[in-house]
Amino acid sequence: MQLSAAPIIYIVIFIAVLLLVEGLYLTVFGKSISLNSRVSRRLALMEKGANREQVLEQLRKETSQHMKSGGIPLYSILAAKAHKANIAFSPRQLIAIMAGLGVFAYLGLTIGTEASLPIRIGVSVAMGVGGVYVWVNGKAKKRLALIEEQLPDAVELMVRSLRVGHPFSSAIGIVAKEMPDPLGTEFGFIADEAAYGRDVAEALKALAERMDMQDLRFLAVAVSIQQQSGGNLAEILEGLAKVIRSRFKLFRRVKAITAEAKWSGMFLSGFPIAALVGINVIQPDYYDGVKETPVFIPAAIGVAAFLIVNVIFMKIMVNIKV
């Protein structure tokens, strides 16, 4: 039996691309850029000697640079994701990384496979662009999930600060100091903007729109209403914290209930691709008897279309909105 390692080589090269971009990110920006860092990026930058104004300017630049570059044809596919993930790489650096990863993938395919030149070029471009997109998308999902998890604790910390007599702007600053990333840096960004004259409610609303998160919109609206009509802000935020925590528990419950359906959908979507890879590894000449026939290419295109439709419908079926 003749075995082909080409499909496995493709998978290994793609995994190497993902590990390479993550290693490069941590090497350039250090451990403070990691989402699981207990010291927020804002405080880490201040510890390095930068003053408050310089840190605010750098964080503002990192926050807005991706959406401003959304018009770039190649970059537009991941501008929104990079914006939510708050990737510190600039758009030009990300495009350069795509090109570098494409070259890396091309060299790996040239050394490890016997694919033709057009296939190597096409797969290399797909791995360079797709690798960065998968990495940025994973960062965005992880960051948004952490913000959702940290937000109830942050609101409760603000409630305690308000009840001991601190003004709301000071409560925001306390959250920035006490909470780890990513919420610590985001609230530190708001605290710095408030110190330079921006309205806190407006800054919270901007954060909610940037993260596209409903719980943050609730917080911004609550603060805005209290500023306009008055009232006990501590009591308002205490009720909001309970609502946010209840929503978070509900989301987790729905996620647990639908986990089996989601894994079934992932299996049904991934099994045909895994079977195709397995056939090409175990018996590379499996399709030699039919691949020269005139219906082989249309049949392959039809199968690929059905696989794509299957993935789309499986995702729709298991994506339950709460």
Side-chain angles (χ1 to χ4, degrees), residues 118-285:
I119 293 178
R120 277 181 287 159
I121 293 176
V123 173
S124 299
V125 172
M127 284 189 176
V129 177
V132 173
Y133 180 83
V134 170
W135 175 75
V136 171
N137 185 51
K139 288 284 186 183
K141 287 184 177 180
K142 184 178 179 181
R143 190 167 188 268
L144 292 177
L146 282 174
I147 290 177
E148 288 180 346
E149 186 175 353
Q150 292 174 335
L151 187 57
D153 294 332
V155 176
E156 289 176 351
L157 181 58
M158 285 189 285
V159 171
R160 292 194 294 269
S161 300
L162 291 171
R163 283 180 171 167
V164 298
H166 292 293
F168 185 65
S169 57
S170 297
I172 293 287
I174 291 173
V175 172
K177 292 180 180 178
E178 298 297 331
M179 295 295 296
D181 268 348
L183 201 60
T185 292
E186 292 293 349
F187 271 76
F189 188 60
I190 293 173
D192 290 341
E193 286 186 325
Y196 287 101
R198 189 178 186 184
D199 183 66
V200 176
E202 183 181 332
L204 284 170
K205 184 179 179 181
L207 173 62
E209 294 302 323
R210 181 157 53 86
M211 294 292 104
D212 191 21
M213 190 176 297
Q214 193 64 34
D215 291 338
L216 283 171
R217 291 192 181 98
F218 291 157
L219 176 60
V221 170
V223 174
S224 179
I225 291 175
Q226 191 275 338
Q227 287 181 345
Q228 295 175 10
S229 60
N232 192 329
L233 184 58
E235 291 184 2
I236 295 172
L237 293 183
E238 183 181 17
L240 179 61
K242 292 179 181 178
V243 171
I244 295 175
R245 195 174 295 279
S246 298
R247 277 168 51 84
F248 183 72
K249 289 180 179 179
L250 179 61
F251 290 151
R252 285 291 180 91
R253 182 177 177 83
V254 172
K255 186 177 180 180
I257 294 173
T258 59
E260 182 179 356
K262 288 184 178 181
W263 278 104
S264 298
M266 291 172 60
F267 175 79
L268 293 174
S269 300
F271 179 75
I273 299 174
L276 180 63
V277 172
I279 289 172
N280 283 303
V281 171
I282 297 173
Q283 195 170 352
D285 58 349

Side-chain angles (χ1 to χ4, degrees), residues 2-80:
Q2 183 182 3
L3 297 178
S4 174
I8 298 177
I9 292 174
Y10 283 99
I11 296 173
V12 169
I13 292 175
F14 186 71
I15 294 174
V17 165
L18 296 177
L19 294 176
L20 188 61
V21 66
E22 175 69 15
L24 182 63
Y25 193 57
L26 294 177
T27 300
V28 173
F29 295 102
K31 190 177 179 181
S32 66
I33 202 68
S34 178
L35 289 178
N36 57 4
S37 176
R38 297 198 59 83
V39 179
S40 69
R41 176 162 170 75
R42 172 176 169 270
L43 295 179
L45 290 173
M46 287 183 174
E47 287 179 357
K48 292 180 180 179
N51 59 42
R52 190 173 187 177
E53 186 176 354
Q54 291 173 335
V55 172
L56 177 62
E57 182 180 357
Q58 180 174 347
L59 293 177
R60 185 188 293 274
K61 180 180 177 181
E62 292 178 358
T63 300
S64 61
Q65 62 183 346
H66 298 289
M67 293 308 294
K68 290 181 179 179
S69 304
I72 300 175
L74 183 61
Y75 188 74
S76 60
I77 62 176
L78 54 80

